């Protein structure tokens, strides 16, 4: 167990639907990052939050949004889902200037 | 923004041989370079990292070298074992000294170690 908790582990939904992925960072970590990993693809950076504020944004679609709450947990909202959104979504956290620790991921399947 | 290129995409070696994976980065301001190992169906896990004030770092059978001038860094695995088989990702980021920047990953190298 890495200390980064992601829920749900698996999610199957239909095109056009909306889902929310949740991440609880390791205790004490202020930064939360979201990455998307499609089949046989690398890790695409989506967005980073630091202590509740958006810090950096990567290749995140306008249909996707995220936030980090006062208790430091984060949610990634994916709307108007398309088949191509099927992927493994990883959350990672770090205390600041140290290494990223990844959660186990949420596997999203859009049918 | 930062762009990280990683080669090769696949690498097959015999058990006991060495494996080398190479990465280049584009942003000369990047100063933190970790390597992650991802086994099938599992999360990426950090195996070694290096900062720009260091040229080489070793941890048992694993070593990483950094050439800041060429914007190039490499992972070296010696005496490979079947359990080293996995996908390896290099990454680069700018460490702000109190709040780490986002990691930009290479596309990964699938290493297969044949017994």
């Amino acid at each position: 167990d890495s200390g980064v908790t992601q829920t749900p582990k698996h999610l199957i939904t239909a095109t056009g639907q909306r889902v929310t992925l949740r991440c609880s960072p390791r205790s004490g970590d202020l930064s939360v990052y979201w990455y998307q990993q499609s089949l046989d693809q690398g890790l695409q950076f989506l967005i980073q939050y630091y202590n509740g504020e958006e810090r950096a944004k990567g290749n995140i679609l306008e249909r996707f949004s995220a936030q980090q709450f006062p208790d430091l947990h984060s949610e990634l909202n994916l709307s108007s889902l398309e088949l191509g959104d099927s992927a493994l979504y990883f959350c990672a956290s770090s205390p600041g200037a140290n290494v990223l620790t990844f959660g186990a991921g949420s596997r999203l399947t859009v049918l | 923004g930062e762009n990280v290129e990683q080669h090769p995409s696949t690498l097959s070696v015999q058990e006991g041989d060495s494996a080398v994976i190479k990465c280049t980065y584009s942003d000369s301001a990047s100063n933190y370079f970790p390597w992650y190992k991802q086994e099938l169906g599992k999360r990426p896990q950090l195996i070694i990292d290096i900062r720009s004030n260091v040229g080489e770092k070793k941890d048992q059978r694993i070593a990483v070298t950094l050439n800041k001038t060429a914007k190039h860094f490499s992972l070296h695995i010696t005496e490979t074992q079947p359990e080293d088989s996995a996908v390896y990702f290099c990454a680069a980021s700018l460490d702000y000294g109190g709040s780490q920047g986002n990691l930009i990953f290479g596309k990964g190298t699938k290493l297969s170690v044949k017994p």
Side-chain angles (χ1 to χ4, degrees):
Chain A
D1 182 8
S2 67
V4 180
T5 304
Q6 288 188 248
T7 57
K9 287 193 169 85
H10 301 278
L11 189 55
I12 301 174
T13 189
T15 54
Q17 295 299 303
R18 171 189 168 95
V19 298
T20 297
L21 309 181
R22 181 187 169 101
C23 170
S24 293
R26 290 190 319 168
S27 177
D29 285 359
L30 298 179
S31 282
V32 170
Y33 308 75
W34 286 97
Y35 286 86
Q36 179 192 56
Q37 187 173 42
S38 301
L39 189 63
D40 294 332
Q41 293 295 311
L43 293 154
Q44 296 293 320
F45 170 68
L46 296 179
I47 198 164
Q48 176 199 0
Y49 283 85
Y50 177 76
N51 202 20
E53 295 188 0
E54 182 182 305
R55 183 62 186 264
K57 190 177 272 192
N59 299 320
I60 187 167
L61 300 173
E62 286 190 7
R63 300 183 286 108
F64 296 0
S65 65
Q67 55 183 328
Q68 185 180 30
F69 294 87
D71 67 352
L72 300 178
H73 91 271
S74 178
E75 293 181 356
L76 178 66
N77 300 297
L78 314 175
S79 62
S80 302
L81 286 168
E82 301 175 359
L83 295 177
D85 297 328
S86 295
L88 192 54
Y89 291 85
F90 283 106
C91 168
S93 72
S94 79
N98 287 310
V99 305
L100 265 64
T101 299
F102 283 82
S106 291
R107 183 171 295 281
L108 172 66
T109 302
V110 182
L111 300 176
Chain B
E2 177 63 274
N3 182 52
V4 177
E5 299 283 341
Q6 182 172 349
H7 300 280
S9 57
T10 60
L11 180 59
S12 181
V13 300
Q14 287 294 131
E15 182 178 359
D17 287 349
S18 294
V20 180
I21 303 171
K22 299 181 179 182
C23 289
T24 58
Y25 60 99
S26 62
D27 189 347
S28 57
S30 290
N31 59 6
Y32 176 65
F33 308 93
W35 287 87
Y36 282 79
K37 175 183 180 182
Q38 186 179 27
E39 297 176 354
L40 190 62
K42 297 190 176 180
R43 65 185 177 92
Q45 291 190 281
L46 177 76
I47 56 172
I48 195 167
D49 59 7
I50 191 168
R51 297 185 186 272
S52 60
N53 58 347
V54 175
E56 183 176 2
K57 185 176 179 180
K58 290 183 180 179
D59 183 3
Q60 300 183 333
R61 297 185 296 107
I62 294 174
V64 59
T65 59
L66 171 65
N67 182 329
K68 287 189 295 182
T69 302
K71 290 188 283 187
H72 170 274
F73 58 114
S74 300
L75 177 71
H76 304 252
I77 305 174
T78 58
E79 300 174 14
T80 54
Q81 302 167 3
E83 51 266 38
D84 293 330
S85 296
V87 178
Y88 291 81
F89 292 97
C90 63
S93 80
L94 177 60
D95 179 348
Y96 297 110
S99 171
Q100 186 184 48
N102 51 290
L103 283 179
I104 301 300
F105 285 84
K107 291 191 180 299
T109 296
K110 185 174 182 179
L111 174 64
S112 299
V113 180
K114 298 180 179 180

